[in-house]
Amino acid sequence: MAGMKPRVFSAMQPTSDSLQLGNYLGALVEWVKLQDTHDAIYGVVDLHALTVSPKPEVLRERTRRTAAQFLAAGVDPSRSAVFVQSHVHEHAELAWLLSTFTGFGEAARMTQFKDKSGALGESGTNVGLFTYPVLMAADILLYDTNVVPVGEDQRQHLELSRDLAERLNTRLGEGAVVVPEPHIVKETAKIYDLQEPDKKMSKSFSSPKGLIEILDDPKKVAKNIKSAATDSDTVIAFDRENKAGISNLLTIYSALTGRAVEDIVAEYEGKMYGHLKVDLADVVVEYLTPVHDRAMDWIESPDALDEVLADGAAKVQSIARETLARLYDRVGLVAPRPRS
Ligand code: TYM
């Protein structure tokens, strides 16, 4: 892992059987690109997923499925470390340390916490949901991360990570941790729900018809695109304010084909929304089919997958150990003496 390349770290929660297109275009596509130029570490954050109280067997299955989809998307385990968060116990330990540097009000201001706890009510909200962004900061700071590729919805959490990093450097001395930079690609930072195009596409909140799931049956993917909500107008144009549905479809089209939105708009001049949807359904299915097939191959080879994950944890372990030891020392914890 050593080298002069800047480090990239990012992660996803194993909270569903399949990733959705927002995870893919907002983050995973960038992960794959960044592994060419960066020292890359990508995690399945199973400890974060505990905040939604999953069934044990479901969590185990989804952890492997999530890792399988990273690999299927092009994350290459010979160049990147792919690992499971709970395999590296320093994440939880650093989260505790960071929680003592985090203000209560600061954590309470996180909009994702406010949204989730608002929906669940006080009795349904666990403390893990509240400290979730602190564990996320620990994930990032543990590896002296320079760059964090994520979608727009993680921006505020990343700001907290940066604030904590700066605070640690002020209080514990320069060089305590690296201050991470967000990597958020404007065009694909937020992919919207197909049925409610003013809301983000989301594993937990979208209805089945609002989602494009990577591991779904291609026929269902195509059907969802063809029945995407649009507006009562007929002109195909990019206008996020007034044509949220069509703009979202154009964004997806552009991201998957690499063509500029203006090009696509010009091609469909005078055509109906239906034409665009039918063609986009083909584009999406063609794009996702090989990803789907590769993911299923990994899912059907759990031993090989577990080996990749064990290798990944082994690669990152020493970095995590060093960072935690450095910080434990700087805050004044007595290091255990090696036994003779
Ligand atoms: P998670 O698992 O909800 O989502 C994984 C990634 O997908 C992005 N994303 C989207 N991007 C564009 N449009 C969408 N509709 C969309 N939906 C999701 C997310 O922004 C994210 O990049 N807290 C994180 C997981 C995490 C993490 C970390 C990320 C834990 N520790 C450290 C980076 C670094 C989360 O819940 O992502």
Side-chain angles (χ1 to χ4, degrees):
M1 296 292 294
M4 296 312 286
K5 286 182 184 171
R7 178 159 297 138
V8 57
F9 177 93
S10 198
M12 292 197 191
Q13 293 197 76
T15 42
S16 67
D17 288 344
S18 172
L19 298 180
Q20 41 87 4
L21 197 66
N23 303 132
Y24 195 83
L25 295 181
L28 208 37
V29 167
E30 294 304 308
W31 296 15
V32 173
K33 284 189 204 152
L34 286 164
Q35 64 183 349
D36 293 337
T37 45
H38 288 64
D39 182 6
I41 305 177
Y42 298 126
V44 181
V45 285
D46 53 348
L47 297 174
H48 278 102
L50 290 177
T51 56
V52 295
S53 315
K55 291 202 175 77
E57 279 320 310
V58 172
L59 176 59
R60 248 187 288 281
E61 170 73 15
R62 289 179 170 176
T63 298
R64 292 201 177 92
R65 288 176 83 95
T66 303
Q69 290 170 88
F70 294 175
L71 302 175
V75 172
D76 171 4
S78 70
R79 290 186 290 155
S80 301
V82 180
F83 79 108
V84 174
Q85 184 188 35
S86 63
H87 293 178
V88 182
H89 60 80
E90 284 84 354
H91 288 254
E93 290 183 60
L94 181 57
W96 174 256
L97 188 152
L98 292 180
S99 74
T100 67
F101 284 78
T102 311
F104 184 87
E106 198 173 28
R109 273 198 297 280
M110 295 292 116
T111 53
Q112 283 206 357
F113 172 71
K114 287 199 273 186
D115 291 349
K116 285 186 184 164
S117 59
L120 294 165
E122 198 175 315
S123 58
T125 302
N126 60 57
V127 174
L129 269 181
F130 185 65
T131 54
Y132 176 110
V134 180
L135 178 58
M136 175 162 165
D139 299 338
I140 297 167
L141 302 189
L142 197 52
Y143 298 108
D144 291 337
T145 302
N146 302 103
V147 183
V148 187
V150 284
E152 182 61 38
D153 61 346
Q154 298 301 316
R155 189 185 287 280
Q156 194 189 30
H157 288 161
L158 264 179
E159 272 307 312
L160 177 69
S161 302
R162 285 172 56 81
D163 290 347
L164 284 171
E166 280 163 5
R167 195 168 303 153
L168 258 64
N169 286 340
T170 304
R171 294 209 202 148
L172 306 178
E174 274 316 304
V177 287
V178 172
V179 182
E181 295 293 333
H183 175 98
I184 301 175
V185 177
K186 193 168 138 266
E187 289 75 14
T188 48
K190 194 166 179 183
I191 301 297
Y192 294 84
D193 184 296
L194 295 177
Q195 287 302 318
E196 296 178 85
D198 52 334
K199 296 200 182 126
K200 73 167 181 182
M201 190 179 283
S202 154
K203 292 178 281 201
S204 14
F205 296 113
S206 292
S207 69
K209 287 180 77 184
L211 280 175
I212 298 174
E213 291 189 303
I214 312 295
L215 298 185
D216 220 343
D217 173 8
K219 282 199 206 94
K220 189 177 153 225
V221 170
K223 198 166 159 219
N224 280 0
I225 294 170
K226 288 178 195 161
S227 57
T230 45
D231 49 76
S232 54
D233 190 22
T234 51
V235 181
I236 294 176
F238 191 90
D239 176 350
R240 179 75 66 207
E241 292 278 290
N242 303 307
K243 292 175 159 290
I246 285 294
S247 301
N248 191 36
L249 298 181
L250 287 168
T251 300
I252 295 171
Y253 204 136
S254 164
L256 293 181
T257 57
R259 290 175 57 197
V261 166
E262 305 84 80
D263 263 15
I264 303 168
V265 168
E267 184 189 328
Y268 285 91
E269 201 189 324
K271 295 195 180 155
M272 317 254 279
Y273 287 172
H275 291 125
L276 177 73
K277 288 181 178 178
V278 168
D279 292 350
L280 178 59
D282 287 345
V283 166
V284 174
V285 168
E286 196 176 318
Y287 191 93
L288 290 185
T289 300
V291 181
H292 170 280
D293 293 351
R294 285 194 295 269
M296 292 321 290
D297 286 347
W298 279 107
I299 290 167
E300 281 153 22
S301 328
D303 287 344
L305 188 58
D306 285 356
E307 200 171 314
V308 167
L309 297 174
D311 284 351
K315 279 195 221 165
V316 301
Q317 185 78 64
S318 58
I319 311 168
R321 198 180 301 131
E322 270 173 38
T323 310
L324 191 70
R326 179 171 80 231
L327 293 172
Y328 271 10
D329 178 54
R330 291 205 189 196
V331 294
L333 303 184
V334 173
R337 191 170 126 174
R339 300 189 72 199
S340 47

